[in-house]
Amino acid sequence: MGIFSHTSCSCTGKSIVLKNIIPEDQLDEVLKRRAEEYRKQRNRTNTNLDVLLMAPSNSPLQYPIHGFTVEPLTKSLIPGLAVHTGTKELYKVFLSVSYGNLLVHGATETDLVVGQGQNALNISTTRVDRLNQLLSQVSYTSTIYRINTRDLANFTFEDHAVMFPIIIKRSSMPVLYDPGTDINTQVTVATKTFLRYKELNVLIESIRKYYKDIKIIVADDSLNPERVIGSNIEHYIMPPAQGWFAGRNLAVSQVTTKYFLWVDDDFQFTSETKIESFVEIMEAVPELDIVGGAVNNDQFYFKLVYENGDMEEGGCLSRVFNTIHQALPSYPHCSLVDGVVNFFLARTDSVRRVGFDPVLKRVAHSEFFMDGLGELLVASCGNIKIGHQAHVNHNTYSEYRTQKKTDERRKLAHHFFKNHLKCVEY
């Protein structure tokens, strides 16, 4: 038994060592605050499920090795407890837990049971069949209210000792989206705009050419908002220049369909923009959270390589372009990746769980997939495409859009603290 420990990770020569971004006179205090917040985060999110348990060989003990889940503070029989052994004068077993009480139901005065209703239980009998009958009636009741954690039970007979997990988990209700009868009730098109109303109107016109009834949501943080005209369009005005991810959060918060299609405001639907193809894949592979396509013929995708690192220094992250985990079975044009282009279909509930960090205002995209690492299953499909409008220079837009050196340093310092990173390689 043991918990996997993490050692320091290695930064490559191309990596940015993030502590070097922090002003020297602030570094010690930032490191202290980061270490404390990391400790609190681990305590808050640790479900105690990462303990390594080794099954002993030639053990006479039978016990549940996986899948025994109980509601908190609720009595549950422990399934499968038994001893398989030869004839003996006396059979004695010992059971103990840390966060609950144990009780043998149906024990009589002739049965020697010590510790009823406590966290440690001794059972002694002269017959193995009676012992197994009593073991089949042992219940566990957690004494702590947690919605997702685990206890470890110790089970001992003579020199044989095993440990097995008891998952303490509050049942949750499903949250379902009625898909309705067609694409218009399954998908909402969402975008964020800033100053580019000409491009936005071209996008809307192209959407209506192929999907005349689908809902469109526009989050708008322009300096002087203009009206966006059209049917079934929800136009949300934000305070000026709140930024890219704040707008994404707003747009996604208003989606009421199972899926949303994210597009940039200067994209353009074409005959190859088949939302139905995205939906078909998502419905066929329900584990998927996001499926990206290609903009023109550019199938932008990447893989993230992350090492936890140690508790003090933090982890190491690198982004590797045009690299996949593996092909998506049954879909020859699709691969499993970690990040895709700004043209993707997503499960609404999955993206809401991760969210978009509103601290990132000017240049942000990969950062969403960084936050979703290990939470979102992502695929990229090169055969589903959208067009990109010709670039038009907007001086004011460019002024806000272009990331300054100070913005880049601020973003890296943010990753240093927020993601507990030692170094990053983009």
Side-chain angles (χ1 to χ4, degrees), residues 344-365:
F344 58 80
L345 188 81
R347 294 186 191 275
T348 303
D349 56 351
S350 298
V351 170
R352 283 180 181 157
R353 282 197 298 269
V354 175
F356 301 92
D357 186 350
V359 169
L360 304 170
K361 291 179 177 290
R362 293 179 183 263
V363 178
H365 178 65

Side-chain angles (χ1 to χ4, degrees), residues 301-304 320-325 336-338:
Y301 58 86
F302 56 86
K303 181 173 133 180
L304 294 170
V320 186
F321 290 106
N322 301 319
T323 302
I324 69 170
H325 291 291
L336 293 168
V337 296
D338 288 320

